[in-house]
Amino acid sequence: MQGRLPGAAIATAAAEAAKVTATPVQLLAAASVSVTLAASIMVWPLVGTILLLLVEVGFLAIVAWRLLTVIVSLRHRAEPVSAPPSPSPLPRYSIVVALYDEAAILPHLVERLANLDYPSELMDGYLALEAHDQETIDAARALTLPDWLHVLVVPPGAPTTKPRALNHALSVARGEFLTVYDAEDDPDPLQLREAAARFAAEDGELVCLQAPLRIRRLHKGRDTSPFLDRQFAAEYAALFEITLPAMARMGLPFPLGGTSNHFRVSALRAMGGWDAWNVTEDADLGFRIWRRGWRLGVLSRPTYETPPGDLVHWLPQRTRWLKGYMQTLLVHTRSTSGMGWKGWCAIALTLGAGLASAGLHALSVAWFGAFLLMTLMTRHLLATPWLGMGVLLCGAAAAILTTAIGARRAGTTFRPWDMLTAPLYWSLLSLAFAHAFVRLIAEPHRWDKTAHRPDVAREETAQFLEPLVVDAGRAAA
């Protein structure tokens, strides 16, 4: 792959990539385009019509892309029922979990990590804890940990984000490969073996493998929301069961999930680790791997996670995700080096399309609802912009089709009623988009933490049901 950035340049750029939200050139370009378009539309209304037509064509392209990913992913169905053949000898594996304010869920996390089917003498794991989070530190030190799992206190510093904690753990990790898990994760016990086998079977250009994340909740609690839980699970299924496997098969880069990504440690260190200033460091890293000339792939053995819960917990999680997408898009549009046409297509169809869709969902649903309401009130069909209506309906149909197929593959519930109410969930994404845009300007590097509680029977969780501290994200929700 020609024109990719050298390793030293990437390591240097990674350190402070998202520390600057937008460069003066980007701000000037955005202002110039906005003023020019606004003035042109006011003087020549035809410009507005042409602009609307281009937007509609763009969304038709997204519809075609969704259908393509479904077709391609049908050819990428690898679901092993037994342990994959492992390389001999097995490589050393590092496991890192960055935790903050997770004392309640820590015993369950340790139990799940202990269930991983991998030789303990070849594992070194780190619970990366913030120095000021004394409650979680005390809880971790009070537990009986496996011999290979260690408590690692991250020195004080800025920013206090997950990627900074991961970078500290990377500096001491002794494995040839490394994976990242989150506090609520329940990984398939054979996931490390599958990753080790895939890395051994591929050349050194494959430096990252993403395991599918599947959302499930075993027990209902005080903060659950059946509607949000099902829609959130289906949204993840579309991404991890359809989109990412298809992109991997097509040899395209993609934004990683925040957990269960497996790396070659040598490559990760050559890139300078994660961008500590980016609140979706995973999405950013996927495209930095591509710029370096390396490849990404996917695994079949999943990691199970719990959904955020009700709106108070869901909105900060989605806000952080969309704000991080904005950061990542700004970072990777500062330079053309190493991207190529495949890279630009991938970033436009993932980050760009995701942000555009989130921003327009509520407006589209409101427009369609107003059209139906006015038609019913006047009792005759109003003048209809058929192209716009067609684009809207095709987009909704493609999204629901992709989600339904992904949900079936992931074993997630997505019934006809869920399909009918999906536009309401999409409208909430517009709320998160607006919130993310404001927060990108006001607090670009603030980490809106998702609260986690043990997914066990209700009577077992009574001791963990103290009121949550209301931070900026949850206060806005």
Side-chain angles (χ1 to χ4, degrees):
M1 298 182 182
Q2 300 298 320
R4 300 298 176 86
L5 289 174
I10 287 191
T12 301
E16 297 187 349
K19 188 173 183 180
V20 176
T21 302
T23 64
V25 172
Q26 287 176 311
L27 291 173
L28 179 61
S32 299
V33 170
S34 299
V35 171
T36 301
L37 285 177
S40 299
I41 292 171
M42 291 174 61
V43 177
W44 300 292
L46 180 60
V47 173
T49 303
I50 295 173
L51 182 61
L52 180 59
L53 180 62
L54 291 175
V55 170
E56 291 170 342
V57 170
F59 275 95
L60 282 176
I62 295 174
V63 170
W65 165 250
R66 288 181 184 272
L67 297 178
L68 178 62
T69 59
V70 171
I71 294 170
V72 173
S73 66
L74 289 173
R75 302 176 59 190
H76 188 89
R77 300 301 310 278
E79 298 181 0
V81 294
S82 58
S86 300
S88 181
L90 283 169
R92 175 171 289 278
Y93 231 107
S94 295
I95 298 170
V96 180
V97 188
L99 302 168
Y100 178 68
D101 194 20
E102 299 286 9
I105 204 171
L106 194 53
H108 304 274
L109 169 67
V110 172
E111 179 182 1
R112 291 162 177 170
L113 294 179
N115 288 334
L116 290 170
D117 182 6
Y118 205 80
S120 59
E121 67 273 14
L122 295 177
M123 300 170 71
D124 68 305
Y126 304 93
L127 303 176
L129 312 179
E130 297 292 340
H132 59 280
D133 184 14
Q134 195 60 46
E135 182 181 6
T136 307
I137 293 175
D138 292 342
R141 288 176 172 166
L143 293 172
T144 301
L145 302 177
D147 292 340
W148 55 268
L149 188 59
H150 314 285
V151 175
L152 181 68
V153 178
V154 180
T160 53
T161 58
K162 173 185 173 182
R164 179 176 174 272
L166 294 179
N167 283 334
H168 181 67
L170 176 63
S171 69
V172 300
R174 295 181 293 119
E176 181 181 349
F177 301 104
L178 178 148
T179 188
V180 175
Y181 291 124
D182 278 349
E184 77 277 22
D185 282 359
D186 185 5
D188 185 295
L190 292 173
Q191 192 180 106
L192 297 188
R193 288 184 178 271
E194 184 189 3
R198 281 288 307 281
F199 280 125
E202 300 275 354
D203 58 40
E205 298 298 302
L206 179 71
V207 303
C208 178
L209 291 166
Q210 172 69 62
L213 304 182
R214 294 179 181 169
I215 305 300
R216 69 179 182 186
R217 190 186 292 281
L218 301 177
H219 302 90
K220 294 182 179 179
R222 185 179 67 179
D223 299 316
T224 61
S225 169
F227 168 71
L228 288 176
D229 287 357
R230 289 196 302 272
Q231 295 290 344
F232 185 84
E235 183 184 12
Y236 260 52
L239 177 63
F240 289 99
E241 309 294 334
I242 301 290
T243 305
L244 299 194
M247 296 187 76
R249 187 171 185 85
M250 289 187 281
L252 298 175
F254 51 81
L256 299 172
T259 172
S260 305
N261 15 70
H262 299 251
F263 301 97
R264 293 186 190 271
V265 170
S266 58
L268 193 55
R269 285 176 173 156
M271 290 187 295
W274 292 266
D275 181 357
W277 298 93
N278 194 317
V279 297
T280 52
E281 76 295 334
D282 43 349
D284 167 73
L285 192 56
F287 291 103
R288 283 205 285 124
I289 288 172
W290 172 259
R291 283 182 182 270
R292 185 68 170 84
W294 291 321
R295 293 185 290 111
L296 301 93
V298 294
L299 297 173
S300 61
R301 294 195 174 270
T303 294
Y304 293 96
E305 291 190 330
T306 52
D310 58 21
L311 186 64
V312 172
H313 301 95
W314 177 90
L315 182 57
Q317 195 270 2
R318 269 293 171 268
T319 296
R320 176 169 56 81
W321 192 347
L322 291 171
K323 183 174 74 172
Y325 271 22
M326 294 174 189
Q327 284 182 315
T328 303
L329 197 59
L330 286 168
V331 166
H332 286 280
T333 51
R334 293 172 189 169
S335 169
T336 60
S337 299
M339 287 296 282
W341 71 268
K342 283 188 174 182
W344 290 121
C345 286
I347 204 168
L349 291 167
T350 53
L351 305 187
L355 288 169
S357 299
L360 293 174
H361 275 319
L363 291 174
S364 300
V365 171
W367 176 74
F368 187 71
F371 174 81
L372 290 181
L373 182 61
M374 293 297 293
T375 298
L376 291 174
M377 291 176 62
T378 59
R379 296 186 179 182
H380 71 273
L381 187 64
L382 302 178
T384 307
W386 291 111
L387 178 59
M389 186 71 73
V391 169
L392 184 61
L393 293 178
C394 286
I400 290 174
L401 174 66
T402 306
T403 303
I405 295 175
R408 185 177 64 182
R409 293 181 184 177
T412 297
T413 300
F414 195 64
R415 300 189 178 97
W417 177 248
D418 299 313
M419 299 179 190
L420 289 174
T421 56
L424 300 179
Y425 178 78
W426 302 340
S427 297
L428 289 176
L429 290 173
S430 295
L431 173 63
F433 175 87
H435 189 200
F437 184 76
V438 173
R439 298 291 295 282
L440 180 70
I441 298 171
E443 297 176 302
H445 306 119
R446 182 183 177 87
W447 188 279
D448 283 327
K449 186 186 180 312
T450 304
H452 300 124
R453 285 177 173 153
D455 185 20
V456 295
R458 188 176 180 82
E459 57 270 16
E460 296 179 46
T461 62
Q463 59 179 313
F464 304 125
L465 295 182
E466 298 89 356
L468 294 169
V469 176
V470 179
D471 63 16
R474 283 192 277 272

